[in-house]
Amino acid sequence: GAVVSQHPSRVICKSGTSVKIECRSLDFQATTMFWYRQFPKQSLMLMATSNEGSKATYEQGVEKDKFLINHASLTLSTLTVTSAHPEDSSFYICSVSSGRENTGELFFGEGSRLTVL
Amino acid sequence: QKEVEQNSGPLSVPEGAIASLNCTYSDRGSQSFFWYRQYSGKSPELIMFIYSNGDKEDGRFTAQLNKASQYVSLLIRDSQPSDSATYLCAVNKGGSEKLVFGKGTKLTVNP
């Protein structure tokens, strides 16, 4: 499967600051990447679909101005949490589609745990 | 009704036993079904996927799909302590690439 790398794996920031998380597809050119968020003991929730060279598609209830997604190349997508608040503390995970048509098979990065103080 | 439902557990089985994990889904348009394993503090890793009704076996794992009943399950034979994790059922949304996840079932295999 695809190798997906995320950075940073952990980040602690003060309330009101912005945090950028990088997701790299190391061995696969990914036109589409997905960003998920997982709160403790909860399911993974899809936040947005990142499309190379175009705007991201956000799921209902996810603020696009707060969670900025940039997918400038086939190997890199970034998620910026702007003006972070304690309620944004979560485990953010990016994923890459295998590319098998209409299968939804995903390979996940290691995840980034954000703690907002 | 939640899109993907799983018994949250915890499910506890002795080493060597069969662990049975169940999942139901609401979207009849779903075409692909996945089981992911997630260790505490880690991201999910794919165990198996299944598209067709029936059983699919891969080593100690068997996925079962019944589209008429909107039910998918995962059997783990000869369970090992290293199988202790949370198992996430995922279904693709309306046949798209988007996955909807259940909350997961926590499995503990006791030595």
Side-chain angles (χ1 to χ4, degrees):
Chain A
V3 179
V4 183
S5 177
Q6 265 184 258
H7 178 80
S9 58
R10 291 181 181 273
V11 57
I12 301 173
C13 69
K14 292 183 178 180
S15 185
T17 60
S18 294
V19 174
K20 179 186 284 188
I21 301 169
E22 292 186 347
C23 177
R24 294 183 184 275
S25 176
L26 299 182
D27 61 349
F28 185 78
Q29 291 191 322
T31 56
T32 303
M33 294 185 180
F34 300 92
W35 286 95
Y36 285 83
R37 177 169 57 181
Q38 187 179 35
F39 293 107
K41 299 188 186 300
Q42 298 296 314
S43 178
L44 275 75
M45 296 298 295
L46 179 64
M47 298 177 66
T49 303
S50 173
N51 305 298
E52 187 267 336
S54 64
K55 291 183 179 180
T57 305
Y58 290 82
E59 294 300 303
Q60 190 174 10
V62 178
E63 300 174 57
K64 63 179 181 179
D65 294 330
K66 181 169 182 62
F67 299 99
L68 302 179
I69 292 173
N70 184 284
H71 193 156
S73 76
L74 289 171
T75 59
L76 175 64
S77 175
T78 61
L79 168 68
T80 301
V81 183
T82 62
S83 187
H85 288 93
E87 58 265 29
D88 298 322
S89 298
S90 187
F91 192 45
Y92 292 86
I93 318 173
C94 72
S95 64
V96 168
S97 171
S98 71
R100 296 182 198 226
E101 188 174 346
N102 296 327
T103 64
E105 182 181 1
L106 298 180
F107 298 99
F108 287 90
E110 307 96 324
S112 300
R113 188 164 302 281
L114 170 64
T115 302
V116 184
L117 302 177
Chain B
Q1 182 187 8
K2 294 181 180 177
E3 292 184 84
V4 180
E5 293 206 58
Q6 295 180 254
N7 187 328
S8 62
L11 174 65
S12 183
V13 300
E15 184 175 356
I18 296 175
S20 178
L21 304 160
N22 304 314
C23 171
T24 58
Y25 61 94
S26 62
D27 183 1
R28 286 193 173 275
S30 301
Q31 298 172 1
S32 306
F33 307 86
F34 302 85
W35 283 99
Y36 283 85
R37 177 173 61 197
Q38 186 176 26
Y39 292 110
S40 181
K42 303 295 185 182
S43 65
E45 53 181 331
L46 181 66
I47 297 177
M48 288 191 71
F49 56 86
I50 186 168
Y51 307 138
S52 304
N53 277 326
D55 295 358
K56 179 181 179 183
E57 186 174 320
D58 184 2
R60 295 187 295 114
F61 299 96
T62 299
Q64 299 174 317
L65 174 62
N66 184 325
K67 290 186 179 181
S69 300
Q70 294 174 249
Y71 173 89
V72 58
S73 67
L74 179 70
L75 299 177
I76 306 174
R77 289 181 299 282
D78 188 23
S79 295
Q80 302 297 310
S82 58
D83 294 328
S84 298
T86 295
Y87 288 81
L88 304 172
C89 173
V91 174
N92 75 328
K93 194 172 182 179
S96 73
E97 286 188 310
K98 297 182 180 181
L99 289 191
V100 179
F101 285 82
K103 289 182 67 173
T105 298
K106 185 174 183 179
L107 171 67
T108 300
V109 180
N110 301 305

